[in-house]
Amino acid sequence: MSSRGWPLWEVFVRARRGLAHTHVGSLHAPDAEMAVRNARDVFTRRSEGVSIWVVPAAAITASSPDEKDAFFDPAGDKVYRHPTFYEVPEGVEHL
Amino acid sequence: MSAAAGDAVGEVVGSAVGALSGDAAAQPDEVAAYALRLGDDALVLAQRMGEWIAAAPELEEDVALANIALDLLGQARTLLTYAGTADGRTEDELAYLRDAEGFRNVHLVERPDDGDFAYCVARLLGFSAYQVELYARLASSTDHTLAAISAKAVKEVAYHRDHATQWVLRLGDGTEESRIRMQAGLDAVWPYLAELFETDELVARLGDVAVDPAGLHEPALAYVRGVVHQATLSVPEVAVAPGGGRRGEHTDALAPLLAEMQALPRAMPGVRW
């Protein structure tokens, strides 16, 4: 058995109810069921989570590094997109 | 076992373990002897499975087997700590300062793997199937410490059983080569399963403090057979190996295992690290 024969899986863990699953890393596993179990052993052995997702790394479509400038630079000088141009009323919590 | 035991075990000792008080009319030394058996099974298998660290087929499996070994080591620590309260010995004295004839584990857990992953998986299937049934019942023991240890451990061994199950299914119903090796692993383990279910006078005298292993045979084997069939493998038909581990009679494999496990504390008595 070699890693070349085992596909790569991306692992997402939800730390507790109410939070979103967060990407925590990747691992090799022969199939999805084993990937969930391996993720349990590798990423949640110190009680880091209550739920695990695994996704075949090959199923992820990523933005290309070559397109980085066109993708991300135009947002760099558009400060008006940040929600900072209004007064927060007195007494509003959790903002 | 104190400091080197790792992150997974530290929290389990101490809180659950009281001193042997001989509740339910059982003799403290007999409860201790019973706890020692269960603890020795867990300790020796923890050591055997630890041999796979950095030697498993995959990095992920290294971590999985190490986790299982640490679970077993945690069980061993609580059980040996409890057993030691009968005569004032610590878990370390019991683990490190007894020779092979002082150990009360079954032969199944001391037999060497010789780097055979299928054998490791087959043994884990049989042993964890036994442990699931054992701890599920022992959680109702009239001895509150044994009950508390078991209630915690049953969740751990349920995962061990699942891990072994997943591998037996995949290797058994996998390639032609994996199928042959998985069947060979089952065949090699099978003669040693019977000893787990042997009963004796100690267990009988302990009554509701202990669990009669004879009663675990049917449910544990039913589970194992179910997995074997689902994996399209054959239930081995092999002669039962002579046991004797509960009486301190062991195979030649135990002494070298203990020599490695005990080397440091014996060379440097009282050492901490």
Side-chain angles (χ1 to χ4, degrees):
Chain A
M1 262 185 286
S2 105
S3 297
R4 282 169 297 171
W6 282 12
L8 190 67
W9 302 78
E10 300 299 331
V11 180
F12 300 77
V13 169
R14 177 155 72 183
R16 60 177 192 272
R17 279 183 65 86
L19 294 184
H21 286 73
T22 305
H23 185 242
V24 292
S26 56
L27 49 72
H28 291 96
D31 53 48
E33 281 186 312
M34 291 304 290
V36 170
R37 287 167 171 80
N38 286 350
R40 178 261 195 195
D41 285 328
V42 174
F43 293 111
T44 66
R45 54 197 299 274
R46 298 181 182 90
S47 302
E48 288 93 337
V50 296
S51 171
I52 295 172
W53 289 348
V54 293
V55 178
I60 290 179
T61 306
S63 61
S64 162
D66 299 338
E67 296 166 332
K68 186 165 72 71
D69 292 349
F71 260 53
F72 302 117
D73 281 1
D77 60 351
K78 298 182 174 61
V79 294
Y80 50 85
R81 289 179 179 175
H82 293 272
T84 57
F85 296 91
Y86 53 85
E87 299 287 326
V88 179
E90 289 281 331
V92 175
E93 294 177 348
H94 309 303
L95 263 180
Chain B
M1 287 185 284
S2 320
D7 56 356
V9 297
E11 75 274 17
V12 298
V13 182
S15 57
V17 179
L20 274 159
S21 58
D23 55 330
Q27 294 297 318
D29 59 332
E30 297 206 318
V31 180
Y34 180 68
L36 194 65
R37 292 178 175 187
L38 306 186
D40 282 349
D41 280 352
L43 176 61
V44 173
L45 188 54
Q47 183 70 12
R48 271 282 173 252
M49 295 198 61
E51 293 172 359
W52 281 97
I53 297 170
E58 291 288 342
L59 180 63
E60 286 80 357
E61 193 61 24
D62 272 350
V63 179
L65 295 179
N67 276 348
I68 290 171
L70 282 170
D71 284 346
L72 291 169
L73 187 60
Q75 294 165 22
R77 291 191 62 186
T78 53
L79 288 163
L80 293 190
T81 298
Y82 189 44
T85 60
D87 61 3
R89 281 187 286 179
T90 67
E91 50 170 326
D92 281 2
E93 287 170 327
L94 285 169
Y96 294 136
L97 302 181
R98 282 181 299 155
D99 293 325
E101 58 269 23
F103 275 74
R104 292 293 178 268
N105 58 280
V106 292
H107 291 184
L108 176 69
V109 296
E110 71 193 38
R111 303 268 307 155
D113 305 50
D114 294 325
D116 182 346
F117 183 65
Y119 180 84
C120 172
V121 164
R123 179 187 52 205
L124 184 63
L125 179 68
F127 186 71
S128 59
Y130 153 81
Q131 276 195 312
V132 166
E133 304 298 337
L134 168 71
Y135 286 138
R137 289 161 180 76
L138 198 58
S140 307
S141 169
T142 52
D143 183 294
H144 298 307
T145 302
L146 287 179
I149 292 170
S150 301
K152 177 176 189 299
V154 72
K155 291 181 214 165
E156 296 172 345
V157 298
Y159 187 79
H160 305 173
R161 189 177 72 169
D162 173 75
H163 190 79
T165 299
Q166 298 302 324
W167 273 120
V168 172
L169 294 179
R170 280 160 179 75
L171 295 175
D173 196 10
T175 67
E176 189 55 34
E177 173 74 8
S178 73
R179 174 185 182 75
I180 290 169
R181 289 205 198 181
M182 194 62 244
Q183 185 67 54
L186 284 171
D187 292 350
V189 161
W190 211 265
Y192 297 93
L193 294 182
E195 189 184 1
L196 288 168
F197 307 106
E198 284 177 8
T199 188
D200 65 5
E201 291 175 3
L202 174 70
V203 172
R205 282 196 301 273
L206 284 171
D208 291 339
V209 167
V211 171
D212 185 351
L216 308 178
H217 184 265
E218 192 45 46
L221 263 291
Y223 181 88
V224 173
R225 280 193 221 99
V227 174
V228 171
H229 286 138
Q230 201 188 337
T232 71
L233 295 166
S234 308
V235 174
E237 293 187 15
V238 288
V240 169
R246 301 297 189 213
R247 299 186 298 275
E249 299 160 18
H250 292 284
T251 67
D252 293 341
L254 182 59
L257 176 145
L258 294 179
E260 183 172 2
M261 185 179 82
Q262 298 174 336
L264 184 61
R266 290 208 180 206
M268 308 180 73
V271 67
R272 299 193 65 82
W273 67 94

